[in-house]
Amino acid sequence: MSEKLVEIDGGMMEGGGQILRNALAFSALLKKPIRIFNIRAGRSTPGLRPQHLSGVNVVRDITNGRLIGAEVGSTEITFYPGDITGGKYIADPGTAGSIMLLFQVSFPCAVFADKPTEFCFRGGTNADMAPQIDETLMVFKPIVEPFGVKFSCEIKKRGYYPKGGGEAIFKIEPCHSTLQPIEILEPGNVVGIDGRSFVAGVLPIKVAHGMADAACRSLRSTFRNININVERVKEPAHLAVGNGSGIALVAKTETGCLIGGAALGKRGVAAEEVGEKAAKQLVDAVMSGACIDTFTQDQLVIFMALAKGKSQVRISSPTLHTKTAIFVAELMTDTRHRRGTEKCRTSLTINCIKHKYREIHKIS
């Protein structure tokens, strides 16, 4: 392991938790110790919150690493990673913090563990400012699997703001090899749209119907003669904590692309407005000519950087989160990215120049 600390300003670019998560994952995978300062400087409450601290501690545990300065409110941490070791791990921030953000920081590490890994994450399954667990399973999972990664998820209990209380079990198989590059460049025509509209707690099923019906009306105005199937669900009381609602949609194209759109219900916001918001996200992404939506593109960058060879994905335009992910990848690795524009569409190319699995993991 290199003893030279990589210094990272957590207030750069989007200035939130993504810099922290991506930098920690790369640190663990490349065995590069890091010092991150100005953590979440771009947020109204800077520093580590309970959810971020839980994620940091999971990476420490799975790598048998050493952390300095990690506590709620910390704006600076130093991390010395050790060997990535599979097994069973638990993370519970004790809040409604997003389970999916815990997954984001730990999943890349587990892919390169020495044996299968099982994470038990607790908190919010469907939280604001984070991917819904439904989006991850419907959209992200099938897109990321061609890299050569495999994981499963069992949702034990749904959890919503402000109580949290959700629980999900993730099982990740180690790849035991290099990740394979991907190429997703042809969007194709939409051939079908699926979705899930849900309510929990005291909210009646008619709210789920309201979101789903509004989304379907909005989608049919753009996608005529396309099969649209949105499941409407009232979560059983024993399988959900708190009151919550939301909708997740995924469009499937003739070339195999999966493009998502999602929205969460909020107090004072009509169910119809929530459904229309999710539908608009999906329509905007499809009409942009992209092969993936804006909320998936930044999640792929770390895997594109770790794959052996050149990966290419057609996107609409890089979001600030995507630019941040690229910034961290280039800082921590020997990867380079290139943007190529064609007919107002952007091709995000990430070429892993010197990355070698054997160098990182010392596999004989």
PDB file of all heavy atoms in Angstrom, residues 134 138-139 190-197 212 215-216 219 226-231 247-253 258-262 278 282:
ATOM      1  N   ASP A 134     -36.198   0.934  -5.508  1.00  0.00           N
ATOM      2  CA  ASP A 134     -36.866   0.380  -6.683  1.00  0.00           C
ATOM      3  C   ASP A 134     -36.104   0.744  -7.962  1.00  0.00           C
ATOM      4  O   ASP A 134     -35.961  -0.069  -8.870  1.00  0.00           O
ATOM      5  CB  ASP A 134     -38.298   0.905  -6.765  1.00  0.00           C
ATOM      6  CG  ASP A 134     -39.043   0.702  -5.462  1.00  0.00           C
ATOM      7  OD1 ASP A 134     -39.624  -0.374  -5.278  1.00  0.00           O
ATOM      8  OD2 ASP A 134     -39.020   1.624  -4.628  1.00  0.00           O
ATOM      9  N   MET A 138     -34.655  -1.949 -10.584  1.00  0.00           N
ATOM     10  CA  MET A 138     -35.299  -1.965 -11.893  1.00  0.00           C
ATOM     11  C   MET A 138     -34.386  -1.461 -13.014  1.00  0.00           C
ATOM     12  O   MET A 138     -34.477  -1.922 -14.155  1.00  0.00           O
ATOM     13  CB  MET A 138     -36.566  -1.100 -11.857  1.00  0.00           C
ATOM     14  CG  MET A 138     -37.669  -1.647 -10.968  1.00  0.00           C
ATOM     15  SD  MET A 138     -38.964  -0.401 -10.609  1.00  0.00           S
ATOM     16  CE  MET A 138     -39.576  -0.017 -12.246  1.00  0.00           C
ATOM     17  N   VAL A 139     -33.507  -0.519 -12.685  1.00  0.00           N
ATOM     18  CA  VAL A 139     -32.701   0.140 -13.718  1.00  0.00           C
ATOM     19  C   VAL A 139     -31.207  -0.134 -13.555  1.00  0.00           C
ATOM     20  O   VAL A 139     -30.553  -0.675 -14.449  1.00  0.00           O
ATOM     21  CB  VAL A 139     -32.964   1.669 -13.715  1.00  0.00           C
ATOM     22  CG1 VAL A 139     -32.145   2.347 -14.809  1.00  0.00           C
ATOM     23  CG2 VAL A 139     -34.450   1.962 -13.900  1.00  0.00           C
ATOM     24  N   VAL A 190     -38.560   2.950 -27.791  1.00  0.00           N
ATOM     25  CA  VAL A 190     -39.175   2.383 -26.591  1.00  0.00           C
ATOM     26  C   VAL A 190     -40.191   1.321 -26.996  1.00  0.00           C
ATOM     27  O   VAL A 190     -41.047   1.554 -27.851  1.00  0.00           O
ATOM     28  CB  VAL A 190     -39.845   3.478 -25.750  1.00  0.00           C
ATOM     29  CG1 VAL A 190     -40.633   2.866 -24.592  1.00  0.00           C
ATOM     30  CG2 VAL A 190     -38.812   4.463 -25.227  1.00  0.00           C
ATOM     31  N   VAL A 191     -40.095   0.157 -26.373  1.00  0.00           N
ATOM     32  CA  VAL A 191     -41.018  -0.942 -26.678  1.00  0.00           C
ATOM     33  C   VAL A 191     -41.929  -1.283 -25.513  1.00  0.00           C
ATOM     34  O   VAL A 191     -42.892  -2.038 -25.667  1.00  0.00           O
ATOM     35  CB  VAL A 191     -40.248  -2.196 -27.124  1.00  0.00           C
ATOM     36  CG1 VAL A 191     -39.512  -1.937 -28.432  1.00  0.00           C
ATOM     37  CG2 VAL A 191     -39.259  -2.656 -26.050  1.00  0.00           C
ATOM     38  N   GLY A 192     -41.665  -0.738 -24.346  1.00  0.00           N
ATOM     39  CA  GLY A 192     -42.511  -1.016 -23.190  1.00  0.00           C
ATOM     40  C   GLY A 192     -42.076  -0.207 -21.984  1.00  0.00           C
ATOM     41  O   GLY A 192     -40.915   0.196 -21.880  1.00  0.00           O
ATOM     42  N   ILE A 193     -43.021   0.049 -21.087  1.00  0.00           N
ATOM     43  CA  ILE A 193     -42.726   0.803 -19.861  1.00  0.00           C
ATOM     44  C   ILE A 193     -43.362   0.079 -18.684  1.00  0.00           C
ATOM     45  O   ILE A 193     -44.544  -0.274 -18.716  1.00  0.00           O
ATOM     46  CB  ILE A 193     -43.268   2.240 -19.940  1.00  0.00           C
ATOM     47  CG1 ILE A 193     -42.591   3.004 -21.087  1.00  0.00           C
ATOM     48  CG2 ILE A 193     -43.044   2.975 -18.614  1.00  0.00           C
ATOM     49  CD1 ILE A 193     -43.163   4.384 -21.328  1.00  0.00           C
ATOM     50  N   ASP A 194     -42.571  -0.163 -17.652  1.00  0.00           N
ATOM     51  CA  ASP A 194     -43.052  -0.786 -16.423  1.00  0.00           C
ATOM     52  C   ASP A 194     -42.854   0.185 -15.268  1.00  0.00           C
ATOM     53  O   ASP A 194     -42.049   1.128 -15.352  1.00  0.00           O
ATOM     54  CB  ASP A 194     -42.310  -2.085 -16.140  1.00  0.00           C
ATOM     55  CG  ASP A 194     -42.617  -3.163 -17.164  1.00  0.00           C
ATOM     56  OD1 ASP A 194     -43.784  -3.252 -17.580  1.00  0.00           O
ATOM     57  OD2 ASP A 194     -41.688  -3.895 -17.559  1.00  0.00           O
ATOM     58  N   GLY A 195     -43.550  -0.063 -14.190  1.00  0.00           N
ATOM     59  CA  GLY A 195     -43.391   0.816 -13.046  1.00  0.00           C
ATOM     60  C   GLY A 195     -43.984   0.254 -11.775  1.00  0.00           C
ATOM     61  O   GLY A 195     -44.657  -0.785 -11.780  1.00  0.00           O
ATOM     62  N   ARG A 196     -43.716   0.954 -10.692  1.00  0.00           N
ATOM     63  CA  ARG A 196     -44.244   0.567  -9.384  1.00  0.00           C
ATOM     64  C   ARG A 196     -44.668   1.836  -8.653  1.00  0.00           C
ATOM     65  O   ARG A 196     -43.846   2.722  -8.408  1.00  0.00           O
ATOM     66  CB  ARG A 196     -43.189  -0.183  -8.570  1.00  0.00           C
ATOM     67  CG  ARG A 196     -43.691  -0.704  -7.222  1.00  0.00           C
ATOM     68  CD  ARG A 196     -42.589  -1.493  -6.506  1.00  0.00           C
ATOM     69  NE  ARG A 196     -43.111  -2.178  -5.346  1.00  0.00           N
ATOM     70  CZ  ARG A 196     -43.222  -1.636  -4.131  1.00  0.00           C
ATOM     71  NH1 ARG A 196     -42.852  -0.378  -3.937  1.00  0.00           N
ATOM     72  NH2 ARG A 196     -43.696  -2.334  -3.117  1.00  0.00           N
ATOM     73  N   SER A 197     -45.950   1.924  -8.310  1.00  0.00           N
ATOM     74  CA  SER A 197     -46.494   3.047  -7.566  1.00  0.00           C
ATOM     75  C   SER A 197     -46.930   2.523  -6.201  1.00  0.00           C
ATOM     76  O   SER A 197     -47.728   1.590  -6.124  1.00  0.00           O
ATOM     77  CB  SER A 197     -47.683   3.652  -8.323  1.00  0.00           C
ATOM     78  OG  SER A 197     -48.222   4.755  -7.630  1.00  0.00           O
ATOM     79  N   ALA A 212     -50.042   6.553 -10.361  1.00  0.00           N
ATOM     80  CA  ALA A 212     -49.901   5.677 -11.521  1.00  0.00           C
ATOM     81  C   ALA A 212     -50.740   6.160 -12.698  1.00  0.00           C
ATOM     82  O   ALA A 212     -50.278   6.184 -13.845  1.00  0.00           O
ATOM     83  CB  ALA A 212     -50.292   4.250 -11.141  1.00  0.00           C
ATOM     84  N   ALA A 215     -49.191   9.257 -14.250  1.00  0.00           N
ATOM     85  CA  ALA A 215     -47.977   8.905 -14.993  1.00  0.00           C
ATOM     86  C   ALA A 215     -48.338   8.258 -16.321  1.00  0.00           C
ATOM     87  O   ALA A 215     -47.757   8.586 -17.369  1.00  0.00           O
ATOM     88  CB  ALA A 215     -47.107   7.973 -14.159  1.00  0.00           C
ATOM     89  N   CYS A 216     -49.300   7.362 -16.304  1.00  0.00           N
ATOM     90  CA  CYS A 216     -49.704   6.671 -17.532  1.00  0.00           C
ATOM     91  C   CYS A 216     -50.292   7.642 -18.552  1.00  0.00           C
ATOM     92  O   CYS A 216     -49.993   7.550 -19.756  1.00  0.00           O
ATOM     93  CB  CYS A 216     -50.710   5.565 -17.211  1.00  0.00           C
ATOM     94  SG  CYS A 216     -49.995   4.147 -16.347  1.00  0.00           S
ATOM     95  N   LEU A 219     -47.406   9.598 -20.024  1.00  0.00           N
ATOM     96  CA  LEU A 219     -46.558   8.766 -20.881  1.00  0.00           C
ATOM     97  C   LEU A 219     -47.247   8.451 -22.203  1.00  0.00           C
ATOM     98  O   LEU A 219     -46.609   8.440 -23.267  1.00  0.00           O
ATOM     99  CB  LEU A 219     -46.197   7.470 -20.151  1.00  0.00           C
ATOM    100  CG  LEU A 219     -45.254   7.618 -18.948  1.00  0.00           C
ATOM    101  CD1 LEU A 219     -45.193   6.315 -18.162  1.00  0.00           C
ATOM    102  CD2 LEU A 219     -43.868   8.038 -19.400  1.00  0.00           C
ATOM    103  N   ILE A 226     -47.752   1.854 -27.027  1.00  0.00           N
ATOM    104  CA  ILE A 226     -46.727   1.173 -26.241  1.00  0.00           C
ATOM    105  C   ILE A 226     -47.385   0.614 -24.977  1.00  0.00           C
ATOM    106  O   ILE A 226     -48.178   1.294 -24.322  1.00  0.00           O
ATOM    107  CB  ILE A 226     -45.581   2.132 -25.846  1.00  0.00           C
ATOM    108  CG1 ILE A 226     -44.847   2.650 -27.077  1.00  0.00           C
ATOM    109  CG2 ILE A 226     -44.603   1.448 -24.897  1.00  0.00           C
ATOM    110  CD1 ILE A 226     -44.115   1.582 -27.851  1.00  0.00           C
ATOM    111  N   ASN A 227     -47.056  -0.632 -24.637  1.00  0.00           N
ATOM    112  CA  ASN A 227     -47.612  -1.232 -23.431  1.00  0.00           C
ATOM    113  C   ASN A 227     -47.016  -0.568 -22.192  1.00  0.00           C
ATOM    114  O   ASN A 227     -45.797  -0.523 -22.028  1.00  0.00           O
ATOM    115  CB  ASN A 227     -47.312  -2.735 -23.401  1.00  0.00           C
ATOM    116  CG  ASN A 227     -47.933  -3.405 -22.179  1.00  0.00           C
ATOM    117  OD1 ASN A 227     -49.113  -3.230 -21.889  1.00  0.00           O
ATOM    118  ND2 ASN A 227     -47.121  -4.180 -21.467  1.00  0.00           N
ATOM    119  N   ILE A 228     -47.881  -0.026 -21.331  1.00  0.00           N
ATOM    120  CA  ILE A 228     -47.460   0.617 -20.084  1.00  0.00           C
ATOM    121  C   ILE A 228     -48.116  -0.104 -18.920  1.00  0.00           C
ATOM    122  O   ILE A 228     -49.348  -0.171 -18.827  1.00  0.00           O
ATOM    123  CB  ILE A 228     -47.843   2.110 -20.075  1.00  0.00           C
ATOM    124  CG1 ILE A 228     -47.202   2.829 -21.265  1.00  0.00           C
ATOM    125  CG2 ILE A 228     -47.416   2.759 -18.763  1.00  0.00           C
ATOM    126  CD1 ILE A 228     -47.644   4.272 -21.409  1.00  0.00           C
ATOM    127  N   ASN A 229     -47.311  -0.646 -18.045  1.00  0.00           N
ATOM    128  CA  ASN A 229     -47.818  -1.425 -16.920  1.00  0.00           C
ATOM    129  C   ASN A 229     -47.218  -0.901 -15.622  1.00  0.00           C
ATOM    130  O   ASN A 229     -46.024  -1.073 -15.380  1.00  0.00           O
ATOM    131  CB  ASN A 229     -47.472  -2.907 -17.098  1.00  0.00           C
ATOM    132  CG  ASN A 229     -47.956  -3.759 -15.940  1.00  0.00           C
ATOM    133  OD1 ASN A 229     -49.009  -3.493 -15.361  1.00  0.00           O
ATOM    134  ND2 ASN A 229     -47.174  -4.764 -15.590  1.00  0.00           N
ATOM    135  N   VAL A 230     -48.023  -0.244 -14.802  1.00  0.00           N
ATOM    136  CA  VAL A 230     -47.560   0.298 -13.529  1.00  0.00           C
ATOM    137  C   VAL A 230     -48.285  -0.411 -12.395  1.00  0.00           C
ATOM    138  O   VAL A 230     -49.512  -0.297 -12.252  1.00  0.00           O
ATOM    139  CB  VAL A 230     -47.794   1.813 -13.439  1.00  0.00           C
ATOM    140  CG1 VAL A 230     -47.297   2.349 -12.094  1.00  0.00           C
ATOM    141  CG2 VAL A 230     -47.089   2.537 -14.586  1.00  0.00           C
ATOM    142  N   GLU A 231     -47.549  -1.137 -11.602  1.00  0.00           N
ATOM    143  CA  GLU A 231     -48.098  -1.848 -10.442  1.00  0.00           C
ATOM    144  C   GLU A 231     -48.493  -0.837  -9.374  1.00  0.00           C
ATOM    145  O   GLU A 231     -47.791   0.138  -9.137  1.00  0.00           O
ATOM    146  CB  GLU A 231     -47.038  -2.810  -9.904  1.00  0.00           C
ATOM    147  CG  GLU A 231     -47.460  -3.628  -8.708  1.00  0.00           C
ATOM    148  CD  GLU A 231     -46.327  -4.474  -8.155  1.00  0.00           C
ATOM    149  OE1 GLU A 231     -45.161  -4.198  -8.495  1.00  0.00           O
ATOM    150  OE2 GLU A 231     -46.622  -5.391  -7.371  1.00  0.00           O
ATOM    151  N   ILE A 247     -43.223   6.652  -6.825  1.00  0.00           N
ATOM    152  CA  ILE A 247     -43.404   5.904  -8.063  1.00  0.00           C
ATOM    153  C   ILE A 247     -42.064   5.815  -8.776  1.00  0.00           C
ATOM    154  O   ILE A 247     -41.282   6.767  -8.786  1.00  0.00           O
ATOM    155  CB  ILE A 247     -44.467   6.564  -8.968  1.00  0.00           C
ATOM    156  CG1 ILE A 247     -44.687   5.750 -10.245  1.00  0.00           C
ATOM    157  CG2 ILE A 247     -44.114   8.006  -9.274  1.00  0.00           C
ATOM    158  CD1 ILE A 247     -45.885   6.210 -11.062  1.00  0.00           C
ATOM    159  N   ALA A 248     -41.782   4.655  -9.327  1.00  0.00           N
ATOM    160  CA  ALA A 248     -40.566   4.430 -10.112  1.00  0.00           C
ATOM    161  C   ALA A 248     -40.965   3.821 -11.451  1.00  0.00           C
ATOM    162  O   ALA A 248     -41.788   2.901 -11.501  1.00  0.00           O
ATOM    163  CB  ALA A 248     -39.605   3.509  -9.377  1.00  0.00           C
ATOM    164  N   LEU A 249     -40.392   4.338 -12.531  1.00  0.00           N
ATOM    165  CA  LEU A 249     -40.718   3.900 -13.885  1.00  0.00           C
ATOM    166  C   LEU A 249     -39.454   3.499 -14.627  1.00  0.00           C
ATOM    167  O   LEU A 249     -38.371   4.031 -14.363  1.00  0.00           O
ATOM    168  CB  LEU A 249     -41.407   5.037 -14.658  1.00  0.00           C
ATOM    169  CG  LEU A 249     -42.648   5.672 -14.041  1.00  0.00           C
ATOM    170  CD1 LEU A 249     -42.999   6.962 -14.771  1.00  0.00           C
ATOM    171  CD2 LEU A 249     -43.823   4.686 -14.083  1.00  0.00           C
ATOM    172  N   VAL A 250     -39.587   2.575 -15.566  1.00  0.00           N
ATOM    173  CA  VAL A 250     -38.461   2.206 -16.416  1.00  0.00           C
ATOM    174  C   VAL A 250     -38.966   1.929 -17.824  1.00  0.00           C
ATOM    175  O   VAL A 250     -39.915   1.171 -18.025  1.00  0.00           O
ATOM    176  CB  VAL A 250     -37.694   0.983 -15.863  1.00  0.00           C
ATOM    177  CG1 VAL A 250     -38.604  -0.213 -15.650  1.00  0.00           C
ATOM    178  CG2 VAL A 250     -36.536   0.616 -16.781  1.00  0.00           C
ATOM    179  N   ALA A 251     -38.345   2.574 -18.803  1.00  0.00           N
ATOM    180  CA  ALA A 251     -38.656   2.341 -20.213  1.00  0.00           C
ATOM    181  C   ALA A 251     -37.631   1.375 -20.790  1.00  0.00           C
ATOM    182  O   ALA A 251     -36.428   1.527 -20.558  1.00  0.00           O
ATOM    183  CB  ALA A 251     -38.631   3.657 -20.985  1.00  0.00           C
ATOM    184  N   LYS A 252     -38.119   0.399 -21.534  1.00  0.00           N
ATOM    185  CA  LYS A 252     -37.246  -0.569 -22.193  1.00  0.00           C
ATOM    186  C   LYS A 252     -37.262  -0.299 -23.693  1.00  0.00           C
ATOM    187  O   LYS A 252     -38.316  -0.078 -24.279  1.00  0.00           O
ATOM    188  CB  LYS A 252     -37.739  -1.992 -21.911  1.00  0.00           C
ATOM    189  CG  LYS A 252     -37.808  -2.327 -20.426  1.00  0.00           C
ATOM    190  CD  LYS A 252     -38.391  -3.714 -20.186  1.00  0.00           C
ATOM    191  CE  LYS A 252     -38.488  -4.005 -18.693  1.00  0.00           C
ATOM    192  NZ  LYS A 252     -39.074  -5.342 -18.424  1.00  0.00           N
ATOM    193  N   THR A 253     -36.076  -0.318 -24.314  1.00  0.00           N
ATOM    194  CA  THR A 253     -35.995  -0.033 -25.738  1.00  0.00           C
ATOM    195  C   THR A 253     -35.651  -1.291 -26.529  1.00  0.00           C
ATOM    196  O   THR A 253     -35.231  -2.307 -25.963  1.00  0.00           O
ATOM    197  CB  THR A 253     -34.940   1.043 -26.047  1.00  0.00           C
ATOM    198  OG1 THR A 253     -33.617   0.478 -25.939  1.00  0.00           O
ATOM    199  CG2 THR A 253     -35.060   2.217 -25.086  1.00  0.00           C
ATOM    200  N   LEU A 258     -32.290   0.651 -20.717  1.00  0.00           N
ATOM    201  CA  LEU A 258     -33.234   0.847 -19.620  1.00  0.00           C
ATOM    202  C   LEU A 258     -33.099   2.275 -19.131  1.00  0.00           C
ATOM    203  O   LEU A 258     -32.015   2.703 -18.727  1.00  0.00           O
ATOM    204  CB  LEU A 258     -32.953  -0.132 -18.483  1.00  0.00           C
ATOM    205  CG  LEU A 258     -33.093  -1.619 -18.814  1.00  0.00           C
ATOM    206  CD1 LEU A 258     -32.607  -2.464 -17.643  1.00  0.00           C
ATOM    207  CD2 LEU A 258     -34.535  -1.953 -19.149  1.00  0.00           C
ATOM    208  N   ILE A 259     -34.195   3.018 -19.184  1.00  0.00           N
ATOM    209  CA  ILE A 259     -34.165   4.432 -18.828  1.00  0.00           C
ATOM    210  C   ILE A 259     -35.232   4.679 -17.773  1.00  0.00           C
ATOM    211  O   ILE A 259     -36.395   4.328 -17.966  1.00  0.00           O
ATOM    212  CB  ILE A 259     -34.420   5.308 -20.069  1.00  0.00           C
ATOM    213  CG1 ILE A 259     -33.329   5.033 -21.125  1.00  0.00           C
ATOM    214  CG2 ILE A 259     -34.456   6.778 -19.704  1.00  0.00           C
ATOM    215  CD1 ILE A 259     -33.583   5.681 -22.456  1.00  0.00           C
ATOM    216  N   GLY A 260     -34.828   5.270 -16.659  1.00  0.00           N
ATOM    217  CA  GLY A 260     -35.731   5.401 -15.525  1.00  0.00           C
ATOM    218  C   GLY A 260     -36.231   6.806 -15.268  1.00  0.00           C
ATOM    219  O   GLY A 260     -35.713   7.796 -15.792  1.00  0.00           O
ATOM    220  N   GLY A 261     -37.255   6.871 -14.436  1.00  0.00           N
ATOM    221  CA  GLY A 261     -37.796   8.123 -13.934  1.00  0.00           C
ATOM    222  C   GLY A 261     -38.498   7.817 -12.625  1.00  0.00           C
ATOM    223  O   GLY A 261     -39.145   6.770 -12.504  1.00  0.00           O
ATOM    224  N   ALA A 262     -38.371   8.683 -11.633  1.00  0.00           N
ATOM    225  CA  ALA A 262     -38.964   8.389 -10.317  1.00  0.00           C
ATOM    226  C   ALA A 262     -39.264   9.669  -9.562  1.00  0.00           C
ATOM    227  O   ALA A 262     -38.688  10.732  -9.835  1.00  0.00           O
ATOM    228  CB  ALA A 262     -38.017   7.507  -9.499  1.00  0.00           C
ATOM    229  N   ALA A 278     -42.461  11.991 -12.316  1.00  0.00           N
ATOM    230  CA  ALA A 278     -41.700  10.800 -12.685  1.00  0.00           C
ATOM    231  C   ALA A 278     -41.772  10.552 -14.186  1.00  0.00           C
ATOM    232  O   ALA A 278     -40.775  10.210 -14.827  1.00  0.00           O
ATOM    233  CB  ALA A 278     -42.223   9.587 -11.918  1.00  0.00           C
ATOM    234  N   LEU A 282     -38.683  10.543 -17.187  1.00  0.00           N
ATOM    235  CA  LEU A 282     -38.471   9.454 -18.138  1.00  0.00           C
ATOM    236  C   LEU A 282     -38.560   9.970 -19.573  1.00  0.00           C
ATOM    237  O   LEU A 282     -37.700   9.655 -20.410  1.00  0.00           O
ATOM    238  CB  LEU A 282     -39.478   8.339 -17.895  1.00  0.00           C
ATOM    239  CG  LEU A 282     -39.258   7.037 -18.670  1.00  0.00           C
ATOM    240  CD1 LEU A 282     -39.761   5.851 -17.873  1.00  0.00           C
ATOM    241  CD2 LEU A 282     -39.944   7.067 -20.027  1.00  0.00           C
TER     242      LEU A 282
END
